[in-house]
Amino acid sequence: MNHEELDASLDSFGDALASATRVTPGNALRPEDIAVAGAKPSDEVAQYALHLGDDALILAQRLSHWISRAPEIEEDIALGNIALDVLGHARSFLTYAGLAWDKSEDDLAYWREEEDFTSLQIVEQPNGHFGVTIMRQLIISIYQHLLYSKLLESTDETIAAICAKAVKEVDYHRDHSAAWTIRLGQGTEESAAKMRHALEVLWPYTGEMFQDEELHRTLGDVAVLPSTLREAWEKEITDVLAEAGLEIPKSGMAMAHGRVGEHSEHLGFILAEMQVLARKHPGASW
Amino acid sequence: MAPTTPQEPGLSAVPSYEEQQSQSRFDALIGDDSRIEPRDWMPEPYRKTLTRQISQHAHSEIIGMQPEANWITRAPSLKRKSILMAKVQDEAGHGLYLYSAAETLGTERDELNDQLLTGRAKYSSIFNYTARNWADMGAIGWLVDGAAIANQVPLCRASYGPYGRAMVRVCKEESFHQRQGFEILLSLSRGTEKQKQMAQDAINRFYEPSLMMFGPPDDQSPNSAQSMAWKIKRFSNDELRQRFVGMIAEQVKVLGLTLPDENLHFDEEKKQWIHKDLNWDEFMNVIKGNGPANAQRLERRREAHREGAWVREAATAYAAKQEQSEVA
């Protein structure tokens, strides 16, 4: 059987690219495109892309655990969809970052150690019950939506291009998590209590999202100073929480420094699971 | 023509004039290869058979998510992770189409789900095997989805409209699934020695179970004749199995791997593929609930259902409040 015959034999069933459940507007700029375009970022730009990529990667890894475990099939699909979008963003950012160091997205995802990861601690937080996952998603989606919207103006064309695709997708994630927050906040006493619990356990990790680093200042118009997102973020999330009948907890902020490799105790387990197979077969391609 | 539906013994065996008229219209539609639609009259056994078949198919999609979801978090490259996620998500989508198709026959999704959770409904036995290594993602796509497609393509012409139409969409998407499976095996077969072994091991384990997905041999398949008369089923179990085994016998050569069936060959005289005797005792035993993962698969569904109860209750309560405030 030659290549064409094989193709026809596999093709006899229909559309090879058809997928039932892709409802958001396409994938982020494909990592393959970025690798080919080959605009090599500076070390600092790569470091920034790594931040964005690590957040997305760890979040995708967390979310993907829900697939086949959600409260209803519609949510298996929705959470799977969000995970898939976010993984797409991660792949684009990591591919771009890797160009600076001659590394692939997989080199960065599978062969770095815990302390080399730069993800925010909020994305490492456990899925918990459905309400915790939804609240984590609300927190991060509003944040990413603001951030990516501003990065459309980034003077780094690749970062701006990745965000141009990603921003439409995180807009949907924001809608999805806001709708659920309101539904659960107003649903039953039990669901409202669970949402208050979700806010309590997650809120301390929101502070880290707005910490400015030396890197952001060095990068100037390539990046966005995280502290400048705070006001808009607080306003937006407060509005959603108000509609849900929830209040921002009075708790303080955790000392969290994921950007410099100081992570929660969760990350090690996340990486152990994610990397185990790849590391069993060094040098293999898949 | 003879009625397509057997008459029940007893008093109901004497149909009323209206029933006879409806039965003839139904028979004529089937005879013309037309479609039966939800509002059309249909004989009860036809409705029951379809409800059972479509809901079993839906359950299979939902349970079938598990062996693959098992590997999403450990997929060895981000691209593979992304493809696998899309695939498992598709299966949830297929489950939804099919539950909707089943609902048009008058049974609610909650009831169908309850049948699954309480063990009253069956699902495809193949998903009671475990996915032990990464290559299983390849073998499941290539062999399990491949067998499913061979089964399902003729169902696109099933006499019940909503089922046939759902199957058209499902089949298109299944093709992507089979390809990604084959591609996984292709990469492994071109990889390191360990990767090749992994691929061969997966094929060895899934070959027989995938051939058994077509059901028992024709002479031991009691319900097939009725389904064929109703034009739900278009080809017999053995015909479909033949078609499938012929296809994979060729495709496996591209992989440079082998099927665990040394004497598999095409008999020119009989014009058929001769494959090894399949282990139907094992098949029946898995159906009875004693496969490697029956208990695990059902418990995962029950757990998701149990732990999601508060979410569904909240959603219902919220919807009711919204409705009230709209009325007020």
Side-chain angles (χ1 to χ4, degrees):
Chain A
M1 193 180 256
N2 65 28
H3 182 74
E4 274 162 23
E5 282 166 353
L6 170 72
D7 218 43
S9 152
L10 287 171
D11 209 25
S12 57
F13 304 115
D15 186 349
L17 297 173
S19 173
T21 44
R22 301 295 302 139
V23 297
T24 47
N27 272 313
L29 185 60
R30 293 188 318 146
E32 291 83 356
D33 303 332
I34 294 165
V36 170
K40 192 173 164 175
S42 69
D43 205 54
E44 288 82 10
V45 172
Q47 194 62 33
Y48 188 58
L50 196 64
H51 289 186
L52 303 176
D54 283 347
D55 286 350
L57 178 62
I58 302 303
L59 182 62
Q61 185 71 7
R62 277 295 195 210
L63 284 169
S64 67
H65 185 78
W66 276 103
I67 303 174
S68 78
R69 293 181 172 89
E72 44 193 3
I73 305 170
E74 284 82 349
E75 284 309 302
D76 278 311
I77 296 176
L79 292 175
N81 220 329
I82 295 172
L84 198 50
D85 287 341
V86 175
L87 179 60
H89 310 159
R91 295 185 58 204
S92 294
F93 285 126
L94 293 183
T95 299
Y96 186 47
L99 291 176
W101 310 306
D102 209 18
K103 292 197 184 300
S104 69
E105 50 174 325
D106 289 338
D107 292 335
L108 292 174
Y110 292 94
W111 298 94
R112 275 183 304 154
E113 303 301 327
E114 201 177 326
E115 60 272 21
D116 304 325
F117 274 77
T118 64
S119 43
L120 294 167
Q121 293 195 10
I122 183 77
V123 296
E124 300 165 9
Q125 296 308 306
N127 286 339
H129 55 68
F130 183 73
V132 174
T133 292
I134 288 297
M135 188 58 75
R136 187 184 62 201
Q137 200 57 41
L138 180 72
I139 289 168
I140 198 78
S141 298
I142 294 177
Y143 177 78
Q144 285 177 330
H145 187 255
L146 290 167
L147 176 60
Y148 295 170
S149 299
K150 281 203 175 183
L151 283 174
L152 298 177
E153 309 290 320
S154 170
T155 50
D156 187 281
E157 282 177 17
T158 308
I159 288 189
I162 295 170
C163 290
K165 289 269 190 176
V167 74
K168 296 177 199 153
E169 298 178 339
V170 295
D171 192 21
Y172 157 75
H173 308 164
R174 193 176 59 145
D175 284 350
H176 176 264
S177 46
W180 268 113
T181 300
I182 293 164
R183 211 173 280 142
L184 296 174
Q186 290 193 25
T188 60
E189 265 177 45
E190 184 186 8
S191 69
K194 283 196 188 279
M195 292 313 273
R196 284 193 296 275
H197 161 253
L199 258 175
E200 272 162 33
V201 296
L202 293 170
W203 197 257
Y205 299 97
T206 58
E208 187 194 5
M209 307 191 307
F210 305 101
Q211 279 168 21
D212 296 335
E213 308 280 335
E214 195 48 44
L215 177 71
H216 301 121
R217 294 195 187 85
T218 315
L219 283 171
D221 292 341
V222 167
V224 171
L225 267 181
S227 59
T228 62
L229 300 172
R230 184 166 217 149
E231 203 183 320
W233 181 85
E234 273 181 3
K235 159 122 190 36
E236 204 175 324
I237 200 162
T238 307
D239 287 350
V240 176
L241 294 179
E243 205 179 333
L246 298 168
E247 280 172 23
I248 290 178
K250 294 192 171 55
S251 56
M253 291 299 161
M255 289 183 279
H257 305 285
R259 291 289 186 233
V260 294
E262 292 173 19
H263 293 283
S264 65
E265 289 175 346
H266 310 296
L267 186 66
F269 293 93
I270 297 173
L271 296 183
E273 184 175 6
M274 184 173 83
Q275 297 176 333
V276 61
L277 178 60
R279 289 189 172 210
K280 247 166 115 176
H281 300 269
S285 62
W286 301 92
Chain B
M1 70 184 277
T4 57
T5 310
Q7 304 294 326
E8 304 269 343
L11 200 59
S12 62
V14 186
S16 70
Y17 176 72
E18 285 76 15
E19 278 168 340
Q20 284 180 33
Q21 292 287 74
S22 302
Q23 178 75 49
S24 330
R25 269 199 302 275
F26 174 83
D27 292 343
L29 282 172
I30 297 280
D32 290 350
D33 253 338
S34 290
R35 286 234 149 121
I36 310 297
E37 295 299 336
R39 284 158 191 251
D40 292 339
W41 181 92
M42 63 189 86
E44 265 325 289
Y46 178 83
R47 188 185 298 276
K48 265 192 201 157
T49 298
L50 272 168
T51 304
R52 195 189 61 228
Q53 181 172 340
I54 300 172
S55 60
Q56 278 181 9
H57 191 165
H59 300 329
S60 303
E61 296 281 358
I62 299 305
I63 295 284
M65 293 166 70
Q66 292 181 30
E68 294 173 295
N70 179 35
W71 282 94
I72 290 176
T73 51
R74 291 175 295 166
S77 78
L78 296 186
K79 187 178 174 189
R80 291 281 174 220
K81 189 192 288 287
S82 159
I83 294 171
L84 187 60
M85 244 191 245
K87 186 192 171 203
V88 180
Q89 200 198 11
D90 273 359
E91 282 153 9
H94 294 173
L96 276 187
Y97 302 161
L98 288 161
Y99 282 126
S100 302
E103 282 190 314
T104 65
L105 291 159
T107 311
E108 296 292 315
R109 188 168 128 197
D110 284 348
E111 163 60 20
L112 298 171
N113 189 43
D114 195 55
Q115 289 173 3
L116 173 66
L117 298 184
T118 53
R120 282 177 292 148
K122 300 276 182 223
Y123 53 86
S124 182
S125 215
I126 190 91
F127 300 118
N128 292 316
Y129 289 88
T130 48
R132 297 211 292 257
N133 78 43
W134 168 253
D136 289 12
M137 299 303 95
I140 289 175
W142 178 47
L143 297 175
V144 176
D145 292 327
I149 297 169
N151 246 329
Q152 290 166 10
V153 167
L155 289 174
C156 296
R157 295 192 293 130
S159 58
Y160 187 57
Y163 191 29
R165 288 189 289 274
M167 292 316 301
V168 171
R169 290 185 65 173
V170 170
C171 284
K172 276 191 180 180
E173 292 150 5
E174 287 290 347
S175 172
F176 150 61
H177 299 177
Q178 198 197 14
R179 278 171 173 267
Q180 67 87 37
F182 190 81
E183 212 206 328
I184 287 174
L185 292 175
L186 195 61
S187 299
L188 294 174
S189 73
R190 291 172 179 171
T192 64
E193 207 42 51
K194 275 190 177 168
Q195 285 178 304
K196 269 182 234 169
Q197 281 167 12
M198 204 191 271
Q200 186 63 59
D201 171 58
I203 293 173
N204 291 351
R205 283 181 289 112
F206 278 96
Y207 173 71
E208 260 199 75
S210 72
L211 290 191
M212 291 194 281
M213 282 173 70
F214 297 95
D218 293 348
D219 53 7
Q220 296 159 39
S221 179
N223 298 322
S224 286
Q226 179 60 70
S227 272
M228 302 230 332
W230 277 329
K231 294 188 180 166
I232 298 172
K233 204 171 157 76
R234 300 276 178 166
F235 299 97
S236 77
N237 296 354
D238 287 330
E239 283 170 332
L240 291 168
R241 190 167 14 246
Q242 279 288 313
R243 193 176 298 178
F244 176 67
V245 80
M247 211 161 53
I248 60 171
E250 289 304 311
Q251 291 172 350
V252 76
K253 293 178 192 162
V254 180
L255 296 174
L257 298 169
T258 55
L259 296 173
D261 190 349
E262 280 175 23
N263 297 317
L264 177 69
H265 65 280
F266 190 74
D267 187 322
E268 290 293 345
E269 240 166 66
K270 293 184 185 159
K271 295 282 171 224
Q272 63 174 349
W273 286 90
I274 307 297
H275 56 74
K276 71 197 306 187
D277 288 337
L278 302 173
N279 188 347
W280 293 106
D281 290 340
E282 178 178 304
F283 180 78
M284 293 315 296
N285 201 19
V286 178
I287 286 189
K288 264 190 246 157
N290 304 324
N294 296 57
Q296 179 193 332
R297 299 286 184 245
L298 261 191
E299 180 48 26
R300 165 85 77 85
R301 266 293 82 213
R302 290 186 187 127
E303 191 184 11
H305 190 72
R306 207 163 49 227
E307 301 207 332
W310 70 272
V311 176
R312 294 188 303 274
E313 279 159 22
T316 308
Y318 176 74
K321 283 180 197 168
Q322 289 300 102
E323 215 166 283
Q324 261 179 0
S325 66
E326 270 165 37
V327 173

